[in-house]
Amino acid sequence: MVKKKATRPYHHGDLRAALLEVAEKALEKGGSETLSLRELSRELGVSSMAFRNHFANKQALLDALAREGLNRLGVALNRAISDREQDFDTRIIKFARAYVRFAMKHAALFRLMFLSKHRTGAPAELIEASYRALAPGPATVADGQASGAVVQGDPARLALVVFSAVEGLIAISTDGQFFGQPLDRLTEEIVSQIILGLRPRL
Amino acid sequence: MVKKKATRPYHHGDLRAALLEVAEKALEKGGSETLSLRELSRELGVSSMAFRNHFANKQALLDALAREGLNRLGVALNRAISDREQDFDTRIIKFARAYVRFAMKHAALFRLMFLSKHRTGAPAELIEASYRALAPGPATVADGQASGAVVQGDPARLALVVFSAVEGLIAISTDGQFFGQPLDRLTEEIVSQIILGLRPRL
DNA sequence: ACCTGAACACCGTTCAAGT
DNA sequence: ACCTGAACACCGTTCAAGT
């Protein structure tokens, strides 16, 4: 996130930031395919091609949006596991909840984030941003290994099981078929299940 | 799937089927947003608006494609659990594998299927097609309950845990981070984990 | 450095018309 | 019943030009 000097040249102090802001709003109520650059420009009272000074094309704007989203997810996940005094189970459940909550709260952005990073020819920068954002997962698993709560093995590989559980919850959550169970409770249940498999054999 | 008489009126015996076929091919290598009706029409050597006799608009064509995909998934899932002599664990693992394999093999179609049915204002027909396609999940759980392999409770609710596991696998599989483990094996591992939670308490 | 405006090659959809 | 072709209102992107 490079800060630009607010020289207020034509219409805005920072057209780039303004574009990202309205783009995210448009995203959240229409998806990435219905998002129109011309419409965004109209909203901001700027010419259709003003955005060209800040983004090479539409894809570049979407990538920037995805990158920003990944950074925000990373912050949320880091905060969730920040208390290193807590035991592994508590931390990993908080991690899972933060992940699921982010996906629920910013559904369209979340979809874009993983659509962008998985598309063929995604910029390396985006892949790296994703690794950084998700790093709290493996990190917590590694801490769990250090305290004897988790079996030995590659933390990234073991964390994959947690990611799988979380992504599964997110996927089925759009069905809204929770039979009245709050999502936080379901997250705890499923992740608790997963934790059992990560336990060292007695 | 209503069969039309092959009267070969202008260009095709069945333009509807031909459209669905090329549309799926286009989908599989470009996503639903880059799919162009005009381009499909050109490929079939037909006017841009010929499709209008078979589909009200682009969305209707995508919905039809999603519906067809759901039917095919349903067939695959039914086949996976068809041997009622097998025990619960075997059947539900086969179910999960069939699900994951379908999603891998028809990635773009799979995405479209769940994008279509989850979008606001999705036709009821699509929702029903989805329930029918996924029915083998709850059905297998119900069989498991009958044989004492699964705890009591709403089969649809219990099956949700299996769906969650499977969807999670699919989500992370696009990352291709399996550390050399075959997906079938990982599916078995994770679903086996899930099964433990479905067991009646001794 | 930042923004404009006309032009180009695409879209999906509507409508009147053809057979 | 099925298909065509012109027209309309949109796109994203390129390019030459403005300050």
Side-chain angles (χ1 to χ4, degrees):
Chain A
M1 290 293 95
V2 182
K3 265 263 170 67
K4 293 243 172 105
K5 277 186 216 147
T7 45
R8 183 168 289 274
Y10 282 69
H11 290 86
H12 298 88
D14 195 344
L15 180 56
R16 193 190 131 92
L19 276 166
L20 285 173
E21 199 183 335
V22 292
E24 187 178 343
K25 228 166 269 177
L27 191 74
E28 220 55 60
K29 63 173 184 110
S32 66
E33 53 268 19
T34 49
L35 187 148
S36 153
L37 293 180
R38 287 176 112 112
E39 196 176 328
L40 297 187
S41 301
R42 259 178 265 132
E43 276 180 46
L44 291 173
V46 90
S47 95
S48 309
M49 287 315 297
F51 85 96
R52 255 293 204 158
N53 295 294
H54 308 283
F55 305 101
N57 50 31
K58 186 179 182 179
Q59 187 61 63
L61 186 148
L62 292 177
D63 283 353
L65 220 47
R67 210 182 170 301
E68 213 188 60
L70 285 167
N71 289 342
R72 275 152 56 188
L73 174 61
V75 169
L77 295 180
N78 262 313
R79 188 167 41 222
I81 62 149
S82 59
D83 188 352
R84 304 193 69 187
E85 298 297 312
Q86 293 174 323
D87 63 11
F88 172 73
D89 292 25
T90 306
R91 289 178 81 206
I92 205 73
I93 287 172
K94 286 175 81 176
F95 171 87
R97 278 181 176 160
Y99 198 103
V100 172
R101 279 183 189 158
F102 186 96
M104 298 294 101
K105 194 165 186 181
H106 314 284
L109 181 63
F110 184 81
R111 223 182 345 255
L112 176 70
M113 280 156 51
F114 290 88
L115 228 70
S116 298
K117 84 170 230 225
H118 285 147
R119 79 166 199 282
T120 51
E125 197 202 29
L126 215 52
I127 313 286
E128 288 157 23
S130 165
Y131 272 94
R132 266 199 309 279
L134 303 182
T140 305
V141 168
D143 288 349
Q145 289 175 320
S147 71
V150 178
V151 287
Q152 292 306 305
D154 182 354
R157 182 192 172 327
L158 294 169
L160 215 59
V161 191
V162 178
F163 283 117
S164 177
V166 166
E167 291 284 350
L169 274 168
I170 293 166
I172 62 167
S173 73
T174 49
D175 274 352
Q177 293 190 49
F178 290 129
F179 304 91
Q181 285 226 69
L183 190 50
D184 266 2
R185 180 138 156 53
L186 207 59
T187 305
E188 180 174 347
E189 271 186 28
I190 289 194
V191 174
S192 295
Q193 201 82 356
I194 297 297
I195 290 168
L196 294 179
L198 295 178
R199 287 257 169 79
R201 307 289 175 260
L202 304 175
Chain B
M1 291 294 94
V2 182
K3 265 265 170 68
K4 294 244 171 104
K5 276 186 216 146
T7 45
R8 185 168 288 274
Y10 282 69
H11 290 85
H12 298 87
D14 195 342
L15 180 56
R16 192 190 133 92
L19 276 167
L20 285 174
E21 198 183 336
V22 292
E24 186 178 344
K25 227 166 270 177
L27 191 75
E28 219 56 59
K29 62 170 184 117
S32 66
E33 53 268 20
T34 50
L35 187 147
S36 153
L37 292 181
R38 286 176 113 114
E39 194 176 330
L40 297 187
S41 301
R42 261 178 264 132
E43 275 180 47
L44 292 173
V46 90
S47 95
S48 309
M49 287 315 297
F51 84 97
R52 255 293 205 158
N53 294 294
H54 307 284
F55 305 102
N57 50 31
K58 185 180 182 176
Q59 188 61 63
L61 187 148
L62 292 178
D63 283 353
L65 219 47
R67 209 181 170 301
E68 213 189 59
L70 285 167
N71 290 341
R72 274 152 57 188
L73 175 61
V75 169
L77 295 181
N78 261 313
R79 188 166 39 221
I81 61 150
S82 59
D83 188 352
R84 306 192 69 187
E85 298 297 312
Q86 294 175 322
D87 63 10
F88 172 72
D89 292 24
T90 306
R91 288 177 83 205
I92 205 73
I93 286 173
K94 286 174 82 175
F95 172 87
R97 279 183 176 160
Y99 199 103
V100 172
R101 280 184 189 158
F102 186 94
M104 298 293 102
K105 193 165 187 182
H106 314 285
L109 182 62
F110 185 81
R111 223 181 346 256
L112 175 71
M113 280 156 52
F114 290 88
L115 229 71
S116 298
K117 85 171 230 223
H118 286 146
R119 79 165 200 282
T120 50
E125 197 203 28
L126 214 53
I127 313 287
E128 288 157 23
S130 165
Y131 271 95
R132 265 199 309 279
L134 303 182
T140 305
V141 168
D143 289 348
Q145 289 175 320
S147 70
V150 178
V151 287
Q152 290 308 305
D154 184 352
R157 182 192 171 329
L158 294 169
L160 215 59
V161 191
V162 177
F163 283 117
S164 177
V166 166
E167 291 283 350
L169 274 169
I170 293 165
I172 62 166
S173 73
T174 50
D175 274 352
Q177 294 189 50
F178 288 129
F179 304 90
Q181 284 225 70
L183 191 50
D184 267 3
R185 181 139 156 52
L186 207 60
T187 304
E188 180 175 348
E189 270 185 31
I190 291 194
V191 174
S192 296
Q193 201 81 358
I194 297 298
I195 290 168
L196 293 178
L198 295 178
R199 287 257 168 79
R201 306 289 174 259
L202 304 177

